[in-house]
Amino acid sequence: MSAVQATLQVLLGGLVDGCVYALIAVGMSLVYSITRVINLAQGGFVVLAALLAASLQQAGMNPLVTLAVVVAIFAAGLAVVDRLVILPASRRATPERMLLVTVGVLQAVGGVLLLVWGNLPYTGQPFTPGAPLDVLGVAVQRQQLWILGALAVAVVGLTLLLNRTELGLTMRATASKPDAAQLVGVDVDRIRLIAFSLSGAMAALAGAAVIPITFLQFDTATSYAVSGFVAAVVGGLGSVTGAVLGGLLLGVAEGVFARFTGASLAEVAAIGLLIALLLVRPAGLLGRTAEVRR
């Protein structure tokens, strides 16, 4: 393999990881834009969805059917979490304390993962089996294409929802001026329920799509939570496009650093680089200063 092909292989791996981070960050940003709550537990739900998908596949369920089932379960499940935990807490706590609440939920999810699946790593079956494709001398796994497609479909679908539907217009109005939206009759609690459901679907999509090409276990939840949070902040909290950009940048940066250092050090170096970027643009790449201060 030539140097160019090796570089392309590294960039592909980073881009695929970035797609997973982007899906996590999109869910975080969507919830933040409606509720002003930074849901760090999003990373935990990704791993929970991944291990549930792996278990359903082991029970004989088709991988694509598993994807649909897991997405439906987590879309409903995150709505329940909001109603039982996040919403009651947000009525009593400041945004800073709500961050601690979501950290608590993340730890609770980690405990469930350890209790149910133990401390062993799990993997899953690819959606479409077969040998990797050869593209310009670069080995492209079929599941990697599914991950790239999952992010594309999620972003296009969410963009159409937010910009082309009445519900999307209501969600954007609620995100911009929640008090004003409530005054004109918008059911803000219903809108936040929808936001959490969409974030749950994003988490499930990321987890079920990535588990066939990696090994995940209970302690991976924190890593995904941190990566998703960094991607969301770098892109600009509340910006879907920024979340995607931040996730892809983080993934590619990790891939590049991993070529010269170990995987763990590469993750730290990439996050450090993006944090340095925040010193130049505190609101993130596509964020607005007013959003950060609110």
Side-chain angles (χ1 to χ4, degrees):
M1 179 180 290
S2 68
V4 173
Q5 291 172 333
T7 301
L8 291 175
Q9 191 76 61
V10 168
L11 292 177
L12 173 64
L15 192 63
V16 170
D17 288 341
C19 288
V20 178
Y21 300 154
L23 284 169
I24 301 171
V26 166
M28 284 186 177
S29 288
L30 185 61
V31 166
Y32 177 81
S33 67
I34 301 294
T35 68
R36 297 300 181 265
V37 172
I38 299 173
N39 183 21
L40 286 178
Q42 187 79 359
F45 291 121
V46 170
V47 180
L48 182 60
L51 297 193
L52 177 60
S55 295
L56 291 176
Q57 289 179 6
Q58 289 175 1
M61 186 176 289
N62 178 275
L64 288 175
V65 175
T66 298
L67 173 66
V69 169
V70 171
V71 167
I73 288 174
F74 277 79
L78 264 290
V80 173
V81 170
D82 175 52
R83 279 294 181 264
L84 295 183
V85 181
I86 307 298
L87 179 58
S90 64
R91 288 173 173 167
R92 300 178 177 86
T94 62
E96 292 77 15
R97 291 181 179 178
M98 282 305 303
L99 188 61
L100 297 178
V101 171
T102 64
V103 170
V105 175
L106 174 63
Q107 295 303 312
V109 171
V112 170
L113 291 169
L114 182 59
L115 181 66
V116 177
W117 283 276
N119 60 356
L120 297 177
Y122 286 79
T123 190
Q125 304 171 23
F127 295 168
T128 50
L133 304 175
D134 188 306
V135 180
L136 300 176
V138 176
V140 180
Q141 298 182 46
R142 297 170 190 266
Q143 190 63 28
Q144 290 178 322
L145 297 178
W146 275 101
I147 295 173
L148 294 170
L151 176 63
V153 169
V155 171
V156 170
L158 191 56
T159 300
L160 292 176
L161 171 66
L162 294 177
N163 295 295
R164 301 292 180 87
T165 68
E166 185 176 347
L167 173 60
L169 180 61
T170 304
M171 292 179 69
R172 290 167 58 198
T174 304
S176 179
K177 301 287 184 182
D179 294 336
Q182 192 165 22
L183 286 174
V184 298
V186 173
D187 187 345
V188 175
D189 284 349
R190 172 176 169 268
I191 296 301
R192 69 176 287 145
L193 196 69
I194 293 171
F196 270 95
S197 292
L198 289 172
S199 75
M202 296 289 175
L205 188 61
V210 77
I211 189 67
I213 62 169
T214 189
F215 288 89
L216 298 179
Q217 57 194 74
F218 77 99
D219 58 356
T220 319
T222 301
S223 175
Y224 273 137
V226 172
S227 296
F229 175 63
V230 170
V233 172
V234 166
L237 270 173
S239 169
V240 172
T241 305
V244 174
L245 182 59
L248 295 179
L249 283 175
L250 178 59
V252 171
E254 283 186 6
V256 171
F257 281 117
R259 182 170 171 79
F260 305 101
T261 65
S264 298
L265 185 58
E267 182 178 351
V268 173
I271 291 176
L273 177 64
L274 296 187
I275 289 176
L277 176 63
L278 290 176
L279 296 177
V280 179
R281 288 189 59 85
L285 295 174
L286 300 181
R288 292 177 297 178
T289 303
E291 287 290 327
V292 174
R293 288 176 179 171
R294 180 151 35 181

